[in-house]
Every structure is written in C-alpha cells, then in structure tokens.
Amino acid sequence: QVHLVESGGGLVQAGGSLRLSCAASGSIFRINDMSWYRQAPGKQRESVATITGDGRMTYRNSVKGRFTISRDNPKNTVYLQMNSLNLEDTAVYYCNADISKVRSPWSFSNYWGQGTQVTVSS
C-alpha cells in the first residue's frame, strides 16, 4: 500500500508564508510527477504546481513568483513553499503523485493525500 501524508498547513496572515510537505510511504519503486492541488469552498479542485521526476516545474499563473515546488527524491517528499500569501490562497491543499510499486515497477498509479488546510486571514 502507498500513502501520501501532507503537513504544514495552518492559519497565516496575508503576506505571510507557509511551507507544505508531503511524504510518500510504502513499497515504492519510483515516483514520477508530484503535484500540489487546492480546493477552496464551493470551488473545483485546481492544480497549483507540478514537479516532474527530472525536476521540471510548472505553476498556475496566480502563484507564479510566490510559490516554489521542490522535491527530495531519497525522502520521497515534495514541498510547496508559499510566500506572499493572500486571501485567495485559502483552501485545502492536496498532494498528488504518480507512483509505481516494487512488485510492478513499470506500472504507475495516481495517489492523493488527505489534504491540509491553509487559511489566510486579513
């Protein structure tokens, strides 16, 4: 079984910073794309940032220049550094990853974490 566990969410004032972490565990062989999504109340889940297995990063326009995604491959962990937070960043943030298991190393499945709440106050 594979699990993704997020941490680092919380309450922060506008203009502040938070760093989210997501650790993958289980009988993992390889992790390809790792991503962060978010879902605000009453809105659809949206992609925030993605980092590929070879380190290429993409961001949604509204977070470019403020958020930075990174990964630590030996630790099977992805991070999201969020700076200059504003009220529109308030959401539940979810980790997502494409992972293959040791038993089937070339078969990838998509996994989600349970989410971590980020609340930005004025």
Side-chain angles (χ1 to χ4, degrees), residues 35-110:
S35 302
W36 288 96
Y37 286 73
R38 66 186 182 188
Q39 187 167 19
K43 295 188 176 181
Q44 289 190 333
R45 191 172 298 188
E46 62 186 20
S47 174
V48 176
T50 296
I51 185 166
T52 64
D54 57 1
R56 287 175 289 124
M57 299 164 283
T58 57
Y59 300 91
R60 72 177 303 105
N61 286 337
S62 62
V63 308
K64 284 181 181 177
R66 300 188 299 123
F67 290 11
T68 302
I69 190 170
S70 60
R71 63 191 288 169
D72 185 333
N73 289 330
K75 294 182 178 180
N76 290 332
T77 299
V78 62
Y79 305 96
L80 186 67
Q81 177 67 44
M82 305 185 294
N83 299 328
S84 302
L85 285 160
N86 58 53
L87 299 180
E88 290 69 38
D89 295 318
T90 295
V92 178
Y93 283 71
Y94 296 91
C95 175
N96 177 275
D98 293 325
I99 299 174
S100 69
K101 299 180 182 180
V102 172
R103 288 191 304 174
S104 52
W106 307 117
S107 176
F108 286 83
S109 297
N110 189 256

Side-chain angles (χ1 to χ4, degrees), residues 24-35:
S25 62
S27 63
I28 295 170
F29 179 77
R30 178 171 293 180
I31 304 178
N32 280 348
D33 290 1
M34 302 186 83
S35 302

Side-chain angles (χ1 to χ4, degrees), residues 11-23:
L11 176 64
V12 63
Q13 284 192 325
S17 298
L18 281 175
R19 188 190 192 211
L20 306 182
S21 300
C22 171

